[in-house]
Amino acid sequence: MPIAALQVYSVEEADGSGGVCRVRCIGGAARTGQVYAAGDARLGLRWIERQGRRESTLGAGRAARVHLAGPAAALLAGGQVLTAVPPGGHALEELEAWLATGPPLGDEPHPMTLSSLAAAGMQDGALPEARRLRWGRVALAAVERRADWAGLHPLDRAADRAGVRVYLIREFGPGRGGDPAALCRELLALIDLAPAEAVAQARAWRELPRRRIRHLRRIKVLLDRMAAVGPQLAESDDPVVQAVGEWAGVRALLP
């Protein structure tokens, strides 16, 4: 599919947050949520209006009023062409600045795409460690956006977030990569059972209601995350070490 391009006819109004412009789509198909490049600046396509009605897309050759989010909207001029940024074309600095604005979940890159981009950067051994850690922070933000987008259960959200944190701790060590004891404390606080209660339910899990079985499986995933930072946690004198140890034997019993 051709990359979408918009040609600006005029800027009707603009301020520091964005502006309303008259544009024509001169290539591809424009969609709300896309990000457009104006030189080094980035603008988010928030809405499209044709003949007084809001639409989600604008095909090639059609004109419309659009709202572009971003301070660069005030600097646009007639005849200027804006090109949509493809999903993989976002630089780290652009994503950091974009996330700082709290963009709508429908904006591109979408949550799943953002997660893939961030994971690739975080795991790229050719990059300097400081840059990989910055990609890790983007990955954590992507987890939250993906969880909001999908309406994930709180324990699934916590497990996904912990997965990124575990990777950072194991890859870069405690300190730079994060605090393994703090991670375990947060996960333990989400478990609503004592180890003995979990053991009792695990022994008869086939007789439990389906929702309860799912709950035990979610707890097991949290315990998996804690086990993954076990070697780093063993070096800590934090009292949480004992609690994690008590749960270690329960983990294998859970469905």
Side-chain angles (χ1 to χ4, degrees), residues 149-179:
W149 179 271
L152 290 187
H153 187 282
L155 295 190
D156 294 332
R157 178 195 293 261
D160 285 355
R161 184 175 177 83
V164 176
R165 294 171 67 185
V166 165
Y167 176 84
L168 294 173
I169 291 169
R170 295 177 66 178
E171 187 73 9
F172 302 104
R176 284 194 85 191
D179 183 346

Side-chain angles (χ1 to χ4, degrees), residues 34 38 64 99 104-105 123 138 144 164 219 226 253:
Q34 285 178 326
L99 287 168
L105 293 176
Q123 298 172 15
V138 173
E144 299 299 334
V164 176
I219 289 176
M226 286 189 274
L253 302 175

Side-chain angles (χ1 to χ4, degrees), residues 3 16 48 69-70 80 89 123 148-149 166-167 179 184 205 207 247:
I3 294 176
I48 299 168
Q80 189 169 353
Q123 298 172 15
D148 289 341
W149 179 271
V166 165
Y167 176 84
D179 183 346
C184 290
W205 68 266
E207 302 170 13
W247 277 102

Side-chain angles (χ1 to χ4, degrees), residues 199-235:
V199 169
Q201 293 189 25
R203 285 175 176 160
W205 68 266
R206 290 180 177 83
E207 302 170 13
L208 297 175
R210 184 173 298 178
R211 63 175 183 79
R212 199 62 200 167
I213 295 172
R214 285 199 298 265
H215 188 66
L216 291 177
R217 287 174 175 165
R218 287 181 170 119
I219 289 176
K220 186 173 185 176
V221 174
L222 299 184
L223 296 178
D224 288 342
R225 301 290 189 258
M226 286 189 274
V229 294
Q232 291 82 3
L233 191 63
E235 302 170 5

Side-chain angles (χ1 to χ4, degrees), residues 6-218:
L6 298 175
Q7 186 170 32
V8 178
Y9 281 176
S10 63
V11 179
E12 294 186 350
E13 56 183 89
D15 56 27
S17 63
V20 176
C21 308
R22 289 191 175 275
V23 302
R24 180 179 293 277
C25 182
I26 59 174
R31 300 188 309 278
T32 54
Q34 285 178 326
V35 176
Y36 283 79
D40 292 332
R42 295 293 182 266
L43 295 161
L45 179 54
R46 288 286 182 266
W47 51 254
I48 299 168
E49 183 182 279
R50 294 190 71 245
Q51 300 176 346
R53 294 183 300 181
R54 295 289 174 91
E55 300 184 5
S56 60
T57 61
L58 182 65
R62 294 189 171 185
R65 296 174 73 243
V66 300
H67 184 272
L68 297 169
L75 305 177
L76 297 176
Q80 189 169 353
V81 175
L82 311 177
T83 304
V85 180
H90 298 270
L92 172 60
E93 292 77 10
E94 295 166 2
L95 291 174
E96 290 173 327
W98 174 69
L99 287 168
T101 67
L105 293 176
D107 276 16
E108 296 183 359
H110 290 160
M112 292 300 295
T113 303
L114 181 63
S115 291
S116 298
L117 292 172
M122 178 178 68
Q123 298 172 15
D124 188 348
L127 295 178
E129 286 191 1
R131 196 165 184 84
R132 291 178 65 191
L133 285 165
R134 287 169 61 192
W135 274 115
R137 289 191 286 272
V138 173
L140 289 171
V143 166
E144 299 299 334
R145 291 178 66 80
R146 187 176 69 230
D148 289 341
W149 179 271
L152 290 187
H153 187 282
L155 295 190
D156 294 332
R157 178 195 293 261
D160 285 355
R161 184 175 177 83
V164 176
R165 294 171 67 185
V166 165
Y167 176 84
L168 294 173
I169 291 169
R170 295 177 66 178
E171 187 73 9
F172 302 104
R176 284 194 85 191
D179 183 346
L183 172 59
C184 290
R185 278 196 301 273
E186 292 173 26
L187 297 180
L188 286 168
L190 295 172
I191 299 176
D192 59 354
L193 296 173
E197 292 174 312
V199 169
Q201 293 189 25
R203 285 175 176 160
W205 68 266
R206 290 180 177 83
E207 302 170 13
L208 297 175
R210 184 173 298 178
R211 63 175 183 79
R212 199 62 200 167
I213 295 172
R214 285 199 298 265
H215 188 66
L216 291 177
R217 287 174 175 165
R218 287 181 170 119

